Amino acid sequence: MEFPDLGKHCSEKTCKQLDFLPLKCDACEEVFCKDHITYDKHKCTSAYKKDVQVPVCPLCNTPIPVRRGEMPDIVVGAHMDKDCKYDPTQRVSFKVFTNKCSKEGCKRKEMIKLICNHCHGNFCIKHRHPQDHDCKAGGHSLSKAGASEPSFRPTGSNRMSSGRHPRHNRYKFVK
């Protein structure tokens, strides 16, 4: 038992497939199968009616109206030359160097914080060591000998000792 009135044939000239769930193009209003429903696949002559894209200005992110037949690039270019509200001086800038040195009289800023272990002040590369910023840890000034107490102390020898690679025994941890 056949149903001759059930389904429709694809309107694409090379296909003509009988489709029981046909799809109607919203631009040209012809019936197509699932393989030819897109505008490109059936070379729709009315695609310009539905395939509308609104360009956006790359500077101010404003949608730019384009009339039929106008080139979007030319219209956006004209907007950028005349009507664009973009002002580069009003742009919010991201500051990289925000960590100001705590040494009196120094105006340098660094990208990262360099905190002194003794006085907990933030200093620039030049004043990062306690003896360079006159560190007053615990209320009294540290001497040059006491301030230079590193957390890593060099061993003095670059030669291999105890069968290790020379880089592995160059520094020892000191508490």
Side-chain angles (χ1 to χ4, degrees):
M1 183 154 102
E2 283 191 34
F3 300 103
D5 296 331
L6 191 62
K8 300 257 183 183
H9 288 277
C10 180
S11 297
E12 178 63 32
K13 294 175 185 169
T14 59
C15 182
K16 298 292 182 190
Q17 176 184 356
L18 179 63
D19 197 344
F20 294 106
L21 293 172
L23 303 166
K24 188 175 181 181
C25 177
D26 61 345
C28 65
E29 298 186 2
E30 291 187 36
V31 176
F32 295 97
C33 65
K34 65 177 176 66
D35 297 328
H36 297 108
I37 190 61
T38 61
Y39 299 143
D40 294 336
K41 294 285 184 171
H42 70 268
K43 297 176 183 69
C44 187
T45 56
S46 302
Y48 70 91
K49 295 177 187 175
K50 298 290 179 172
D51 192 19
V52 178
Q53 296 178 359
V54 178
V56 176
C57 176
L59 300 176
C60 65
N61 288 331
T62 305
I64 311 299
V66 179
R67 294 186 190 100
R68 292 202 194 282
E70 288 183 326
M71 295 292 295
D73 292 339
I74 294 171
V75 175
V76 171
H79 163 79
M80 288 169 44
D81 292 339
K82 297 177 185 173
D83 304 325
C84 191
K85 306 253 187 298
Y86 174 73
D87 186 10
T89 59
Q90 298 297 325
R91 195 179 93 186
V92 176
S93 63
F94 176 70
K95 293 185 179 182
V96 176
F97 298 98
T98 57
N99 299 298
K100 189 176 181 316
C101 181
S102 299
K103 169 86 171 157
E104 191 175 321
C106 184
K107 295 181 180 180
R108 293 201 55 169
K109 295 180 181 179
E110 298 294 334
M111 290 175 66
I112 59 171
K113 288 186 177 184
L114 297 170
I115 307 292
C116 175
N117 291 335
H118 302 289
C119 66
H120 304 290
N122 184 30
F123 298 98
C124 66
I125 297 276
K126 185 177 176 183
H127 300 116
R128 71 185 182 271
H129 297 295
Q131 67 269 22
D132 294 332
H133 64 262
D134 301 327
C135 186
K136 296 181 177 23
H140 60 284
S141 182
L142 291 175
S143 68
K144 294 225 182 236
S148 64
E149 181 181 298
S151 34
F152 288 95
R153 185 174 291 156
T155 60
S157 171
N158 283 344
R159 284 183 278 161
M160 286 201 210
S161 62
S162 70
R164 290 181 152 180
H165 193 273
R167 265 191 255 147
H168 294 287
N169 62 353
R170 189 175 299 157
Y171 298 102
K172 270 196 253 180
F173 186 70
V174 178
K175 285 190 176 183

